[in-house]
Amino acid sequence: MLLFRVSGVPVLLAGSWWIGSLLIVALYTPLVTRMLPDAGLGLSAVLAGAFAVLLGLSVLAHELGHCLVALRFGMPVRRVRLFLLGGLSELVRSPRRPQQEALVALAGPGVSIALALVCWVLLLAIPADGAVWLLVAQCAVANGAVGVFNLLPGLPLDGGRLLRAGVWALRGTRSTGTRVAVVGGGLVAVALLGWALWGLAQGSEDRWLRLGVGVVTAWFVAMGATTEFASEGRRSWPEGLSVTDLMRPVLQLPAESPVSAALTASAGRGVVLVRADGVAAGLLDTEAAERLAASAPDSPAELAAQPIRAETVLVTSDSTDEIAEHVNQVPAWQFLVVDADSRPMGVLCRDDVHSALAAPSAYGTGPART
């Protein structure tokens, strides 16, 4: 469900958020009753619901912190999404430097901790032991918990991203930082389960709340760490392999060439079809060309061209990791590679990139290059 947009970025509320909120209300209502003995079951449930909403708003503020800093660095944000007990700011591309990674990661906890401090100051001006005091205290606790929890050193938490940025800065490789932070994520998940089970064994008053939150958040951290590890594998370029090793030689042909002749001339090369006025009509799509040649072999090859757009052009000066990430994100099967003067150098096919990333050992990979 779309809530609103911030700087053009959609903020969405997933259906699972309601499940998490109902779980919080069910587990937190008995605690409110004990903290406010004069409150009935109805008021306790209302205050527990308010806590769930405040927690959601805290997560939202946290994610907007990430979003705005990322936009400030020129990193497009696809969307901000709230779900179950967490949130996610989905960046279109990853930070290109460890300093950017660190600052984007710090923005969320920074907002949460600042809001917690504001609420604690407000508590000094509000009479204690009342419902209003409890709501403000809940807001302080919610923001403090969101800020501190996300600083734990494991992916996908912000502390894990800070850890990755630190290792990245020290070792010079993002993938090394990811591996260290993924291990941290596993340790955080185990610690959360231990915290939940310890409360259950000790018979603490909040044992069921701890068990529910601990199990769900441990699962979230474990799955997020696994996803980060898999994502890093898809974007890390094997050491010793250059873009020129993968790209196919480029051949320029008139756009009006018969499609059958263009197919014969391609012979494993990338074909740029050029119109009479010198403007590129596109890259020859071999599958479309084969279909067209089967029915009308003398048709102009331009009819089987893949348009050349800004997102399907790669520059040789781009880093290999940036190229790998771009190829994974753009829905095109081939990309034109140009030099700094926009001269065609070759054609890079998505399948060739995926094959290289799926079998890095074939190129003697060690730590991935930056």
Side-chain angles (χ1 to χ4, degrees):
M1 180 175 69
L2 177 64
L3 297 179
F4 53 87
R5 294 178 182 270
V6 175
S7 298
V9 178
V11 178
L12 307 176
L13 185 68
S16 61
W17 183 86
W18 297 101
I19 298 174
S21 297
L22 290 174
L23 179 64
I24 290 174
V25 171
L27 296 176
Y28 194 62
T29 297
L31 295 178
V32 175
T33 302
R34 283 193 288 271
M35 287 185 288
L36 294 176
D38 295 335
L41 181 61
L43 179 57
S44 297
V46 169
L47 292 176
F51 176 73
V53 172
L54 289 173
L55 181 59
L57 291 175
S58 300
V59 172
L60 175 59
H62 179 104
E63 294 303 327
L64 289 179
H66 291 310
C67 175
L68 294 176
V69 173
L71 292 173
R72 178 67 178 83
F73 280 124
M75 289 182 281
V77 180
R78 182 176 291 109
R79 61 180 178 175
V80 173
R81 188 162 57 96
L82 303 181
F83 57 93
L84 203 56
L85 295 178
L88 185 65
S89 298
E90 299 180 14
L91 306 187
V92 173
R93 64 171 177 83
S94 302
R96 294 178 177 175
R97 295 190 297 274
Q99 295 86 349
Q100 290 182 347
E101 173 108 62
L103 290 173
V104 172
L106 278 173
V111 170
S112 297
I113 292 173
L115 289 174
L117 292 175
V118 170
C119 290
W120 282 115
V121 171
L122 289 176
L123 287 176
L124 300 177
I126 299 174
D129 300 329
V132 175
W133 183 91
L134 182 59
L135 280 175
V136 177
Q138 287 173 337
C139 190
V141 170
N143 281 283
V146 169
V148 173
F149 172 72
N150 276 277
L151 287 174
L152 295 177
L155 286 171
L157 303 176
D158 300 322
R161 300 186 189 283
L162 287 171
L163 177 59
R164 174 166 62 189
V167 175
W168 182 4
L170 290 173
R171 298 294 301 275
T173 58
R174 188 179 191 273
S175 58
T176 300
T178 297
R179 288 194 291 270
V180 172
V182 164
V183 172
L187 295 176
V188 168
V190 171
L192 286 168
L193 288 175
W195 170 74
L197 294 175
W198 178 257
L200 193 63
Q202 295 297 308
S204 60
E205 291 187 351
D206 63 344
R207 59 188 180 277
W208 299 114
L209 178 63
R210 283 173 61 168
L211 182 64
V213 172
V215 169
V216 172
T217 51
W219 173 83
F220 165 75
V221 171
M223 293 301 295
T226 302
T227 301
E228 288 279 353
F229 186 76
S231 176
E232 187 66 29
R234 290 192 299 269
R235 78 179 298 278
S236 296
W237 197 275
E239 186 177 10
L241 181 69
S242 67
V243 174
T244 55
D245 294 329
L246 287 184
M247 70 184 188
R248 303 179 182 185
V250 66
L251 173 67
Q252 296 190 35
L253 291 177
E256 64 272 13
S257 300
V259 65
S260 57
L263 274 173
T264 302
S266 63
R269 292 177 289 187
V271 177
V272 178
L273 299 171
V274 183
R275 297 192 181 101
D277 57 4
V279 176
L283 296 173
L284 183 68
D285 184 331
T286 54
E287 292 186 359
E290 288 172 355
R291 291 193 298 268
L292 180 61
S295 58
D298 294 327
S299 298
E302 182 177 358
L303 297 178
Q306 171 192 308
I308 299 175
R309 304 183 300 273
E311 60 268 27
T312 60
V313 176
L314 302 172
V315 185
T316 53
S317 59
D318 291 340
S319 75
T320 50
D321 280 352
E322 289 172 1
I323 290 175
E325 184 176 17
H326 188 84
V327 169
N328 280 324
Q329 291 174 343
V330 176
W333 76 271
Q334 58 180 348
F335 299 80
L336 179 64
V337 182
V338 302
D339 63 13
D341 296 321
S342 298
R343 291 176 298 196
M345 302 297 291
V347 172
L348 190 63
C349 293
R350 172 188 290 274
D351 289 345
D352 294 339
V353 174
H354 285 180
S355 296
L357 298 183
S361 59
Y363 302 96
T365 183
R369 69 183 299 276
T370 57

